[in-house]
Amino acid sequence: MQSGNPYRSIENGVPGRIGCRIHYFDELDSTQEAARTFAAGGGPQGLVVIAERQTAGRGRMGRSWHSPAGLNLYCTIILRPRIPLGEVPRLSLVAGIAAAEAIERQAAGLVSLKWPNDVWLKGRKAGGIIAEAVTNSRQELECVLLGIGININLAIEDIPAELRTKATSLRIAVGHPCDRIEIANSLFTLLDYRYMEVVTHGFDAMRPQWERFSALTGKRVTVVDGPRRESGIVRGIDSDGALVLEVGDGPRRILAGDVSIEGAYE
Ligand code: BTN
């Protein structure tokens, strides 16, 4: 059910630009599914779905996303880029830059990005990004559902006990509540800018922006992808957005997996 929309004031109405339309719901299973329905009905690029609460919020690799009401930002943005299917994951790195830049306005010096899709504050996870491709019957890209979750006003006692050493929020990091509408506005404006930049100039031009926030570069890490396990020192990301790991016999490109920093509590 859609009631009064507190995000209406930041809807920009500009066709094709992020935030052109913002649909707000008190409760959804997942903003990804509502955005999928809008996209199937011809919803334009830039349309945003926001839920106050999600009952089945989801993260990468089939994980769930804790989505209580009244505290955080849960949104999905419809993008319609003309790119090959294989380039979709780069859009989540671009969204990471925009999310880090938006959070940096409230928490300068505290935000970092953990490849591929985690937004960290003081070394704990405060946000996550998921980029789901929707294809047609010829397996061509129809659109991308870019989901972003940011823990904004979650207090420590709102975090499930088993996640307290790993998860955080903007409020916990800076010590006071933050304005969700202002953060959403910054996020959509910065994402619009970064998205235009990537479709015009390509991902390689954006690597320095991503590296500026990288939590992993120079660190010894272990990457686990199903049965595969690889350890080495992170050299950064390459022009495709792959993680470049220095292992014993040279650099190795990592395309997927869960990364943990050796010696850090994960
Ligand atoms: C991750 O870190 O695993 C990605 C988390 C993505 C969560 C967001 S919240 C809004 C959107 N709706 C969902 O169900 N998931 C994404």
Side-chain angles (χ1 to χ4, degrees):
M1 191 196 66
Q2 194 159 17
S3 60
N5 180 354
Y7 295 87
R8 173 113 318 132
S9 61
I10 62 168
E11 201 175 52
N12 63 47
V14 185
R17 306 305 288 263
I18 289 163
C20 59
R21 266 159 55 184
I22 300 180
H23 291 276
Y24 170 82
F25 296 84
D26 293 332
E27 181 181 297
L28 287 173
D29 49 359
S30 162
T31 56
Q32 294 297 106
E33 291 319 307
R36 189 181 302 278
T37 305
F38 278 114
Q45 168 161 287
L47 182 153
V48 179
V49 176
I50 298 180
E52 192 56 42
R53 165 173 189 261
Q54 297 183 114
T55 54
R58 58 173 194 265
R60 290 171 63 232
M61 300 174 157
R63 294 180 187 130
S64 65
W65 188 257
H66 182 55
S67 309
L71 298 169
N72 301 323
L73 178 65
Y74 318 114
C75 64
T76 300
I77 300 137
I78 298 176
L79 299 176
R80 296 190 179 277
R82 291 202 191 91
I83 57 172
L85 199 52
E87 292 185 9
V88 169
R90 294 180 201 179
L91 295 176
S92 62
L93 298 176
V94 173
I97 299 170
E101 289 174 327
I103 293 172
E104 188 179 37
R105 292 182 176 179
Q106 315 278 330
L110 304 183
V111 59
S112 58
L113 292 171
K114 182 192 172 216
W115 186 93
N117 295 336
D118 290 359
V119 181
W120 273 5
L121 277 166
K122 294 184 173 173
R124 291 182 183 187
K125 182 160 174 165
I129 295 157
I130 190 169
E132 294 180 336
V134 177
T135 55
N136 62 21
S137 55
R138 295 183 300 280
Q139 289 306 301
E140 295 156 343
L141 184 64
E142 279 282 323
C143 70
V144 176
L145 306 175
L146 185 66
I148 304 176
I150 302 177
N151 294 342
I152 296 179
N153 287 324
L154 208 61
I156 194 82
E157 53 277 12
D158 300 317
I159 300 177
E162 68 280 10
L163 296 178
R164 281 190 195 157
T165 55
K166 300 179 185 174
T168 190
S169 72
L170 193 50
R171 175 185 177 167
I172 294 167
V174 298
H176 57 80
C178 297
D179 184 336
R180 288 189 292 166
I181 313 282
E182 190 182 328
I183 292 162
N185 192 26
S186 299
L187 176 65
F188 301 151
T189 306
L190 289 159
L191 182 58
D192 185 66
Y193 178 76
R194 293 298 181 198
Y195 177 65
M196 293 300 153
E197 201 177 13
V198 75
V199 295
T200 313
H201 302 295
F203 181 74
D204 202 30
M206 310 194 61
R207 269 200 295 163
Q209 271 75 37
W210 198 92
E211 289 288 355
R212 182 166 85 81
F213 291 107
S214 175
L216 300 180
T217 304
K219 301 263 179 13
R220 172 166 284 280
V221 303
T222 298
V223 186
V224 177
D225 182 18
R228 280 185 303 166
R229 210 184 159 82
E230 195 95 68
S231 292
I233 295 174
V234 174
R235 293 298 173 217
I237 54 171
D238 70 10
S239 53
D240 296 327
L243 189 74
V244 181
L245 209 58
E246 191 72 43
V247 295
D249 55 356
R252 184 99 16 113
R253 296 178 72 239
I254 306 289
L255 297 172
D258 268 336
V259 185
S260 53
I261 301 178
E262 287 184 15
Y265 187 84
E266 282 279 317

